[in-house]
C-alpha cells in the first residue's frame, strides 16, 4: 500500500520542489557546514553540523510550523550521519521537551522525532523524564541575556529514577544555547555528570563568523 501511495503521490523535496524525496540528495549536498565552535558554558560538548540557511532552514521551518512531521525522518537521519562522523559518548538520548501547551498546539515535539531517529540509528536508549515545567513562550525575538533569563529553571527531572550519567541532548536549532544549558542544569541537579548536545543547525552571529 505504501509503495502504491508513493507511486500515486510522490514526495516533493521541500528545498527545491523536485519529485522523489522529502529532502533530496541535491539539497543535502548543498548544506553549508557550521564552523567549529566551543560549547556554551554548562555543556561538555556540542555538535552542530550545519548553518541554519537555505534548504535546511526551509525543511526545519516546514516541520515545525507547517506540521510536516514526516520531515523528521530525513532530518533525523542526517543528524545520525553527523554523529557517526563525530561521535558523542553518551549513555542515553534525551530530547529537549516542549511545554504541554506548545505540544498541544503543534501536535508533536520535533526534537523527540529527531531523537527517535538518532536512537534507532545508534542503538542508544531514548529516555523521557525531562519536563519543561514553565511555558517560556517564543524566544526567537529575545536577545542572548533575555533568552538566558527567560529559560532559567524552566526544566525539571520528573521521575523518581535518576537520569543517565552521560546524556546527549537533542534539539532542532541552536541559537544562544540557553535552552540546552538550562536542560543540562536540570539534569546535573539530579545526578547527570556529562551533558553533550546535538542540533541540526545554528544561525551565525552577525559579523562574527565566516564559512570558509
Amino acid at each position: 500500500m505504501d509503495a502504491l501511495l508513493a507511486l500515486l503521490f510522490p514526495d516533493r523535496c521541500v528545498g527545491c520542489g523536485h519529485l522523489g524525496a522529502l529532502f533530496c540528495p541535491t539539497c543535502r549536498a548543498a548544506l553549508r557546514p557550521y564552523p567549529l565552535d566551543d560549547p556554551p558554558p554548562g555543556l561538555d560538548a556540542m555538535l552542530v553540523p550545519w548553518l541554519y540557511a537555505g534548504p535546511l532552514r526551509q525543511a526545519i521551518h516546514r516541520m515545525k510550523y507547517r506540521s510536516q512531521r514526516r520531515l523528521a525522518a530525513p532530518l533525523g537521519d542526517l543528524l545520525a550521519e553527523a554523529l557517526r562522523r563525530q561521535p558523542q559518548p553518551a549513555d542515553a538520548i534525551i530530547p529537549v521537551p516542549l511545554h504541554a501547551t506548545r505540544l498541544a498546539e503543534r501536535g508533536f515535539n520535533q526534537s523527540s522525532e529527531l531523537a527517535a531517529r538518532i536512537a534507532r540509528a545508534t542503538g542508544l536508549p531514548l529516555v523521557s523524564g525531562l519536563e519543561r515545567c514553565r511555558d517560556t513562550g517564543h524566544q526567537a525575538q529575545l536577545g542572548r541575556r533575555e533568552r538566558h533569563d527567560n529559560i532559567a529553571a524552566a526544566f525539571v527531572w520528573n521521575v523518581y529514577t535518576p537520569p543517565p550519567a552521560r546524556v546527549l541532548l537533542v534539539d532542532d536549532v541552536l541559537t544562544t544555547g540557553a535552552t540546552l544549558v538550562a536542560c543540562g542544569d536540570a539534569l546535573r541537579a539530579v545526578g547527570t555528570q556529562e551533558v553533550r548536545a546535538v542540533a541540526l543547525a545554528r544561525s551565525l552571529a552577525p559579523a562574527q563568523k565566516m564559512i570558509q
Side-chain angles (χ1 to χ4, degrees):
M1 178 59 104
D2 288 345
L4 177 60
L5 288 174
L7 182 63
L8 295 174
F9 306 102
D11 287 326
R12 223 176 249 282
C13 176
V14 297
C16 64
H18 289 171
L19 292 174
L22 286 171
F23 200 60
C24 74
T26 300
C27 287
R28 291 200 301 268
L31 295 178
R32 297 170 60 189
Y34 187 84
L36 292 176
D37 202 359
D38 294 328
L43 296 179
D44 293 288
M46 176 183 72
L47 174 60
V48 183
W50 299 289
L51 184 66
Y52 186 53
L56 183 59
R57 187 181 187 280
Q58 291 175 247
I60 293 172
H61 192 275
R62 289 202 182 190
M63 176 178 64
K64 291 175 65 173
Y65 303 118
R66 297 191 185 179
S67 299
Q68 295 191 16
R69 187 173 185 169
R70 289 196 306 138
L71 277 165
L75 295 180
D77 292 344
L78 279 173
L79 261 186
E81 291 173 14
L83 284 167
R84 279 194 287 270
R85 293 191 297 268
Q86 299 181 60
Q88 302 295 317
D91 300 316
I93 296 169
I94 296 180
V96 172
L98 289 177
H99 187 266
T101 301
R102 185 67 52 79
L103 183 60
E105 291 172 354
R106 187 168 295 163
F108 66 97
N109 178 359
Q110 71 279 355
S111 297
S112 294
E113 299 291 324
L114 296 173
R117 301 295 293 194
I118 295 172
R120 188 170 78 170
T122 62
L124 288 171
L126 183 61
V127 173
S128 59
L130 189 62
E131 176 187 353
R132 190 183 294 240
C133 59
R134 183 165 55 80
D135 188 357
T136 54
H138 294 282
Q139 296 219 124
Q141 304 304 317
L142 300 181
R144 180 179 294 271
R145 173 51 58 185
E146 292 171 311
R147 284 173 179 263
H148 180 273
D149 294 343
N150 186 50
I151 204 72
F155 301 93
V156 295
W157 184 251
N158 68 357
V159 294
Y160 290 111
T161 55
R166 301 182 304 168
V167 164
L168 178 64
L169 290 169
V170 176
D171 206 357
D172 56 341
V173 178
L174 187 149
T175 306
T176 65
T179 298
L180 289 166
V181 169
C183 288
D185 289 345
L187 291 168
R188 291 183 195 276
V190 287
T192 294
Q193 298 169 17
E194 295 181 9
V195 180
R196 293 174 171 81
V198 61
L200 273 167
R202 187 176 191 180
S203 299
L204 285 175
Q208 289 185 9
K209 294 182 178 294
M210 295 291 292
I211 298 292
Q212 299 299 320

